[in-house]
Amino acid sequence: MWPCGGRRQRRLGGVALLLVVLWLLLRRYYPCLLPAVSEPCENAVLLRFNWSELNPLGLWGRTHGLQTENSEFLLEGMPFRILGGSMHYFRVPREYWEDRMLKMRACGLNTLTTYVPWNLHEKERGKFDFSKNLDLRAFLSLAAKNGLWVILRPGPYICSEWDLGGLPSWLLQDPEMKLRTTYKGFTEAVDAYFDRLMRVVVPFQYKKGGPIIAVQVENEYGSYNKDPNYMNYIKMALLNRGIVEMLMTSDNKNGLSFGLVEGALATVNFQKLEPGLLKYLDTVQKDQPKMVMEYWTGWFDNWGGPHYVFDADEMVNTVESILKTGASINLYMFHGGTNFGFMSGALEADEYKSDVTSYDYDAVLTEAGDYTSKFFKLRQLFSMVIGQPLPLPPMIESKASYGAILLHQYISLWDVLPALVQPIKSEIPVNMENLHLNDSIGQPYGYVLYETVIFGGGHLHSRDHVRDRAQVFVNTVYVGELDYNSVELSIPEGQQGFRQLRLLVENRGRVNYGLGLNEQRKGLIGDIFLNKTPLRNFKIYSLEMKPAFMKSLQHVSGWSSVPDYFVGPAFFRGRLWIEQQPQDTFLKLQGWEKGVVFVNGQNLGRYWKIGPQETLYLPGPWLRRGGNEIVIFEERTAGRIIQSVDIPYLGRTQYVD
């Protein structure tokens, strides 16, 4: 039997050990309760839990989540400030997700925000895709692993300079469709989508041990505001499917009061901090923490315009001013990425302007994920505010210059059509969305060729029914273009007999913001007139250029050596040979006019000589050692070579006013 003194010593030792464990846990998870770190907590209550070191004990007791009290955020009852940054998994190659997240942490951020694009996850009605670069589960898991909380912005509308603001184009098959309202045809589609999406999202919420601390209700609805019942419908659609974390809305100042919904925290979007702007939030919600959901670190570009940049010092000074008010902030964008494929959106204010392929945005990281001066200035600011050392920035990925690539073969579009495309016959023109294709969901993106027979020439008039740009051919001879600004052409008289009139129409991107979303059908949206008579009896060829089409193109007969001079439309192909481990590069298409580039079947996006963008980003993970096939669809004037360079060129710059 042990003496009583021994038992007392063991009890004291056990108590001491328990106190040490409790002290370590407090120091790790609740440092603001400890005097040793009271000074940095007073400077800025920004501390978060580090997901990379959480253990099962640390996961216990997760019941409160993100809350508000006395004009500040609390996370699990402790003061918390959101220092966020936006990156979109669908704009960044999956192989680089973690690299960008590590750079977020190294900059001092504790929260990642991302949109969810409905039009990629449900390309065809009822068929959902959460695989490969759309693996939202993997993305959220990586955020958790790398110590980042998540604010999820599931839409269904996301804006984001993305085709139709992320809404699938098949919604527009309904001629009465009223997007972003409680119109039955829209809500039925949203319900089906949310049924599937929330099965992915719900397990990743904070209270279930996941990284999601807040979910946004729709997006900037105050600027649309067509249905007073809509925001409550979206809120309930989230709650009824298991969303239990904090809800938020997001609007610019002018739309703020119109985008509110009871039970959701209102946040604001801007670039310039106008006097009283943050205090304006108090007029719509009392005694709530202030948050800038989108602080615009740069701006996006349109074809034919400049490459916009936003002064780094001005940006950082504004961020500092926001933080001094005690507000939380999300940097939109921290990393922009790329509008790969045909997914870039458009603006339509005074005139239609389509967005470029690059979504560099003059953000904190470049399109290829490299550091900018904004990164290091923000890192210095956040380090001082937080009062703790930040992780070291990861090494940047080196870029390669593979030199000149010869496009040695071509095949005319007119030779491809009979072999690969079965036409749809229609008496009248049919817009892309209503073509009987893809299990009756229509054609969402790309080009469509309308072909009919004419006798003689005369005056061709579009009546503004071309969306967005049509090249006009008589047989195979180019005669001009029709678009928003050019609505008529003279068709030359020919020899007696019939001729083929062909209109190759490009969908340059659907408008993603504004009140005209319901009018975003593409192709020919009405009659085209020759000598005041509407044209009839069309053959319609879909040229969506999906992977199956591009694969078949490799094996079609008729490829020939490229002559010294050739005018499209045509496909060109060449080969890039890589000896070592592939690296990121940029393709420069000097001497080419307008078209699309595919590498190993991946659609890199559009190029256009009017700029500002002059290079296309080609991620290293999409290349392989040995031969890499490059296919270019060129609408008009083709070059013979393209250049692989190690530096992007996004065009002439202009500072944002």
Side-chain angles (χ1 to χ4, degrees), residues 124-158:
E124 298 182 22
R125 187 190 287 266
K127 297 181 180 180
F128 299 95
D129 185 2
F130 290 90
S131 65
K132 300 178 181 178
N133 225 84
L134 297 176
D135 191 341
L136 182 56
R137 291 185 183 91
F139 185 75
L140 295 172
S141 296
L142 269 181
K145 171 190 171 186
N146 289 287
L148 290 166
W149 302 112
V150 173
I151 297 176
L152 195 72
R153 312 174 79 186
Y157 165 82
I158 64 173

Side-chain angles (χ1 to χ4, degrees), residues 308-598:
Y308 287 107
V309 295
F310 184 42
D311 182 75
D313 289 326
E314 183 179 353
M315 186 210 73
V316 174
N317 289 340
T318 304
V319 171
E320 184 175 14
S321 298
I322 292 168
L323 295 178
K324 284 181 178 178
T325 69
S328 288
I329 190 171
N330 176 60
L331 305 173
Y332 188 99
M333 299 291 296
F334 178 80
H335 173 48
T338 309
N339 298 318
F340 293 115
F342 295 118
M343 299 311 299
S344 53
L347 281 178
E348 194 166 27
D350 298 332
E351 60 178 323
Y352 173 88
K353 295 180 180 179
S354 56
D355 299 334
V356 302
T357 299
S358 171
Y359 201 59
D360 178 87
Y361 205 82
D362 192 35
V364 182
L365 299 182
T366 68
E367 179 181 14
D370 294 335
Y371 300 114
T372 68
S373 62
K374 292 179 179 179
F375 176 91
F376 294 106
K377 291 174 185 291
L378 286 169
R379 173 178 161 84
Q380 183 179 21
L381 170 64
F382 290 142
S383 179
M384 289 189 299
V385 170
I386 295 171
Q388 294 183 359
L390 297 177
L392 291 175
M395 296 289 290
I396 64 171
E397 297 283 339
S398 56
K399 308 297 183 289
S401 176
Y402 294 114
I405 304 165
L406 176 66
L407 280 297
H408 61 283
Q409 289 187 315
Y410 85 101
I411 184 170
S412 168
L413 174 64
W414 315 124
D415 295 329
V416 167
L417 291 177
L420 295 184
V421 184
Q422 183 68 32
I424 296 169
K425 295 181 180 180
S426 174
E427 182 182 1
I428 61 174
V430 180
N431 59 287
M432 292 173 65
E433 296 80 5
N434 287 97
L435 293 173
H436 293 293
L437 298 165
N438 301 321
D439 292 333
S440 297
I441 63 103
Q443 179 182 338
Y445 315 109
Y447 298 78
V448 61
L449 178 71
Y450 297 84
E451 183 179 281
T452 189
V453 172
I454 61 172
F455 298 87
H459 184 248
L460 186 70
H461 204 296
S462 73
R463 303 284 176 93
D464 195 28
H465 288 156
V466 171
R467 297 290 183 274
D468 297 300
R469 180 175 176 268
Q471 294 181 84
V472 182
F473 302 84
V474 174
N475 294 331
T476 61
V477 178
Y478 172 81
V479 295
E481 294 178 3
L482 297 171
D483 57 20
Y484 293 95
N485 299 315
S486 301
V487 296
E488 52 188 328
L489 276 177
S490 178
I491 303 298
E493 297 287 346
Q495 296 178 351
Q496 288 186 345
F498 71 86
R499 297 181 295 168
Q500 288 181 320
L501 180 70
R502 291 163 157 166
L503 287 85
L504 180 60
V505 183
E506 180 196 7
N507 167 6
R508 289 172 49 196
R510 294 180 182 84
V511 167
N512 56 267
Y513 180 83
L515 301 178
L517 297 181
N518 294 324
E519 287 76 51
Q520 293 307 306
R521 295 169 183 86
K522 297 296 183 177
L524 295 184
I525 62 170
D527 283 328
I528 304 295
F529 292 79
L530 180 63
N531 299 327
K532 299 183 179 181
T533 301
L535 296 171
R536 290 291 181 262
N537 299 317
F538 286 89
K539 289 183 179 180
I540 305 174
Y541 297 83
S542 169
L543 295 166
E544 191 177 343
M545 302 185 192
K546 295 196 294 187
F549 173 89
M550 299 306 297
K551 188 174 183 179
S552 298
L553 187 64
Q554 298 175 3
H555 307 293
V556 71
S557 61
W559 288 92
S560 305
S561 298
V562 178
D564 290 337
Y565 180 77
F566 182 83
V567 175
F571 294 92
F572 296 78
R573 70 181 178 187
R575 191 165 293 273
L576 167 61
W577 189 268
I578 299 177
E579 298 285 353
Q580 305 299 324
Q581 181 67 30
Q583 297 175 320
D584 288 1
T585 189
F586 305 90
L587 300 183
K588 188 170 185 178
L589 291 107
Q590 189 171 359
W592 299 74
E593 187 165 334
K594 189 178 191 304
V596 192
V597 178
F598 300 82

Side-chain angles (χ1 to χ4, degrees), residues 79-115:
F80 182 75
R81 185 187 285 188
I82 297 166
L83 297 180
S86 290
M87 67 169 279
H88 302 147
Y89 57 98
F90 49 94
R91 280 182 161 129
V92 181
R94 178 172 179 161
E95 295 83 351
Y96 289 151
W97 287 350
E98 188 163 26
D99 172 78
R100 308 317 191 237
M101 292 176 186
L102 290 171
K103 288 170 180 173
M104 278 190 173
R105 288 200 58 204
C107 192
L109 303 184
N110 59 25
T111 303
L112 178 155
T113 69
T114 186
Y115 283 127

Side-chain angles (χ1 to χ4, degrees), residues 144-381:
K145 171 190 171 186
N146 289 287
L148 290 166
W149 302 112
V150 173
I151 297 176
L152 195 72
R153 312 174 79 186
Y157 165 82
I158 64 173
C159 185
S160 191
E161 292 70 63
W162 195 253
D163 189 273
L164 200 60
L167 302 176
S169 62
W170 45 258
L171 291 167
L172 297 174
Q173 289 184 318
D174 179 353
E176 304 299 322
M177 176 55 66
K178 298 177 180 61
L179 300 173
R180 304 178 73 192
T181 70
T182 52
Y183 174 71
K184 183 179 179 182
F186 184 68
T187 58
E188 287 179 345
V190 172
D191 287 342
Y193 170 55
F194 272 14
D195 283 345
R196 183 65 181 86
L197 174 63
M198 294 308 149
R199 283 161 48 191
V200 174
V201 169
V202 165
F204 285 91
Q205 294 180 101
Y206 175 89
K207 294 186 180 73
K208 297 181 180 294
I212 298 174
I213 57 174
V215 176
Q216 186 174 296
V217 182
E218 236 264 353
N219 188 60
E220 298 178 316
Y221 194 71
S223 300
Y224 197 71
N225 193 31
K226 288 193 175 185
D227 184 339
N229 300 313
Y230 174 70
M231 284 294 282
N232 191 65
Y233 156 71
I234 295 294
K235 181 189 77 172
M236 296 309 299
L238 295 169
L239 296 178
N240 291 339
R241 289 167 176 81
I243 294 300
V244 295
E245 304 303 336
M246 177 178 287
L247 299 179
M248 296 179 171
T249 62
S250 170
D251 286 284
N252 59 35
K253 181 184 177 182
N254 293 335
L256 193 60
S257 60
F258 302 106
L260 301 174
V261 63
E262 185 177 355
L265 179 75
T267 69
V268 68
N269 307 333
F270 60 82
Q271 186 168 69
K272 304 295 179 74
L273 182 57
E274 302 171 8
L277 181 54
L278 288 175
K279 289 184 179 179
Y280 181 68
L281 278 168
D282 290 329
T283 66
V284 297
Q285 56 187 13
K286 297 290 186 181
D287 301 322
Q288 294 292 333
K290 296 178 177 61
M291 175 157 182
V292 183
M293 181 61 80
E294 292 185 12
Y295 174 69
W296 302 320
T297 61
W299 203 243
F300 58 91
D301 300 337
N302 305 120
W303 289 114
H307 170 50
Y308 287 107
V309 295
F310 184 42
D311 182 75
D313 289 326
E314 183 179 353
M315 186 210 73
V316 174
N317 289 340
T318 304
V319 171
E320 184 175 14
S321 298
I322 292 168
L323 295 178
K324 284 181 178 178
T325 69
S328 288
I329 190 171
N330 176 60
L331 305 173
Y332 188 99
M333 299 291 296
F334 178 80
H335 173 48
T338 309
N339 298 318
F340 293 115
F342 295 118
M343 299 311 299
S344 53
L347 281 178
E348 194 166 27
D350 298 332
E351 60 178 323
Y352 173 88
K353 295 180 180 179
S354 56
D355 299 334
V356 302
T357 299
S358 171
Y359 201 59
D360 178 87
Y361 205 82
D362 192 35
V364 182
L365 299 182
T366 68
E367 179 181 14
D370 294 335
Y371 300 114
T372 68
S373 62
K374 292 179 179 179
F375 176 91
F376 294 106
K377 291 174 185 291
L378 286 169
R379 173 178 161 84
Q380 183 179 21
L381 170 64

